[in-house]
Amino acid sequence: MAPQTSLILAVSPYHLTSREAPAMAAVLLADRAVTLLPTPFAGSTRGDVGLAVERTPRYLRMMESWRWSIPLWRAGVLGTRHGGEDVADEVRGMCESVEHEAELARLRPLMRRSLMGDQDEYLDAVAGDVLKGGPDPGICIPVAAAIDRFAQRNGVAVVRSAASSVAQRAEARLGRRRFAVAVPVLLRGSGERVMAARAGLGEELAELRRQLVRAMEHGDAEGNGNANGSCAEGLAAGARAYGAAFARQRERLTSGDDQEGRRVVDGYVSVTGVTVPADAVLRSSLAAVRAMSVGGSRPANPPHSAGAAEAPMAEGAAG
């Protein structure tokens, strides 16, 4: 896998819908962000999507919940493809892996076996779960695992929320921390405001992105060795310069309501780079299922839920 020269981040559709910090940080800090948009089996042309919207009300509601991000899609900041591949194409393969691979057998009772067999059911189920924030492990597990598999193959970093569920805590134990930095972002604001921030902070963002890519490839949270120490110093300097520029422009970026009539809110996020195995979602979900079996009950939270207020990044090219 060739080294990355741009900061490409994969974002969960759950976070885009709720506009949580991981998504808001990603669309500002990254050169580009990719996400999973469920599309009709026939294709993703305007006609295909239009027919699906007519047939599946919850799919329409999900699309409407993403209206705030339209300027980002139009500018190419947000999309569904990278390396000639579409993130959504991974979901079917992930469902088949769970169905046929022996080591994933414990996840099968959680899966919806008919999910990929009927287009309307697929679109309705995924859209409904995304709108509700991920309560159905039969949907959120294959979606999260599909994003990870896509990211690993394409050398893309995956944006995570802070560990809150059983599976997320299990996943955190699989990771190796490479760097950590705190930076200001727009936590609430329209796509237009995000685009304005990207334009106004362009020079400082470019350097911060360069340092984040470098830290993901060579960083070490302990700062061991000259190269790793240099990564930490470069990232800290890039973050300081970006933070100072954000402070200078804060009033312009946050004043008044945005185009949706919402108050614009800024704040700091903790960005932590962690290398995890490419199948971390599946491993941690299996660990959660085993914990559920030992405990004798099913927890209220699913193995992988979409919540949290921080924006750690787990490197997709893990291993």
Side-chain angles (χ1 to χ4, degrees):
M1 187 156 40
Q4 291 291 306
T5 57
S6 298
L7 181 62
I8 313 297
L9 300 179
V11 185
S12 166
Y14 295 92
H15 291 143
L16 277 175
T17 301
S18 58
R19 305 199 210 185
E20 290 181 58
M24 297 304 295
V27 296
L28 175 57
L29 300 180
D31 285 290
R32 287 182 55 247
V34 292
T35 192
L36 186 150
L37 172 63
T39 54
F41 295 167
S44 56
T45 66
R46 184 182 297 271
D48 295 326
V49 173
L51 183 59
V53 163
E54 291 178 8
R55 294 166 57 95
T56 314
R58 287 202 294 187
Y59 187 55
L60 172 60
R61 285 173 51 208
M62 190 198 79
M63 300 288 277
E64 288 177 338
S65 76
W66 287 12
R67 188 180 298 276
W68 70 274
S69 65
I70 287 176
L72 302 170
W73 292 89
R74 287 176 174 166
V77 172
L78 188 57
T80 65
R81 301 183 65 85
H82 182 67
E85 301 180 24
D86 195 294
V87 185
D89 293 339
E90 292 289 342
V91 178
R92 185 187 296 271
M94 187 55 61
C95 290
E96 291 176 351
S97 293
V98 174
E99 182 68 25
H100 299 295
E101 294 179 17
E103 60 269 28
L104 301 178
R106 280 180 173 266
L107 295 179
R108 288 174 199 158
L110 300 177
M111 297 296 105
R112 292 196 181 196
R113 286 182 170 81
S114 61
L115 186 63
M116 298 306 297
D118 180 89
Q119 172 180 291
D120 291 347
E121 180 179 348
Y122 163 66
L123 294 176
D124 181 71
V126 175
D129 200 58
V130 167
L131 287 167
K132 290 184 286 189
D136 188 342
I139 298 171
C140 64
I141 290 175
V143 165
I147 292 172
D148 274 11
R149 181 180 285 181
F150 173 91
Q152 190 276 334
R153 191 169 59 252
N154 289 282
V156 173
V158 181
V159 179
R160 295 280 203 264
S161 58
S164 59
S165 70
V166 173
Q168 288 170 329
R169 289 192 291 272
E171 181 182 275
R173 291 192 289 270
L174 297 172
R176 175 192 167 208
R177 191 166 127 165
R178 302 180 75 89
F179 68 85
V181 66
V183 292
V185 299
L186 296 179
L187 293 172
R188 185 195 302 163
S190 64
E192 287 90 347
R193 284 298 178 101
V194 174
M195 290 301 300
R198 289 174 62 93
L201 300 168
E203 183 177 339
E204 292 80 11
L205 273 171
E207 176 60 16
L208 178 60
R209 290 164 186 156
R210 189 178 76 82
Q211 294 297 339
L212 284 168
V213 170
R214 183 168 174 246
M216 282 192 284
E217 292 179 349
H218 306 294
D220 184 326
E222 303 302 321
N224 298 321
N226 293 332
N228 294 328
S230 174
C231 281
E233 292 169 5
L235 179 57
R240 283 195 300 271
Y242 163 79
F246 192 101
R248 290 194 298 271
Q249 299 192 39
R250 181 178 183 276
E251 183 175 357
R252 178 183 69 83
L253 295 175
T254 62
S255 63
D257 293 339
D258 65 14
Q259 287 77 1
E260 298 176 293
R262 293 161 54 100
R263 185 169 67 93
V264 180
V265 176
D266 68 308
Y268 274 78
V269 292
S270 173
V271 181
T272 304
V274 181
T275 302
V276 298
D279 60 349
V281 167
L282 297 175
R283 285 199 206 180
S284 57
S285 296
L286 285 167
V289 170
R290 285 192 291 270
M292 288 156 52
S293 299
V294 171
S297 63
R298 181 166 177 161
N301 292 329
H304 270 269
S305 95
E310 297 181 1
M313 291 194 302
E315 189 175 322

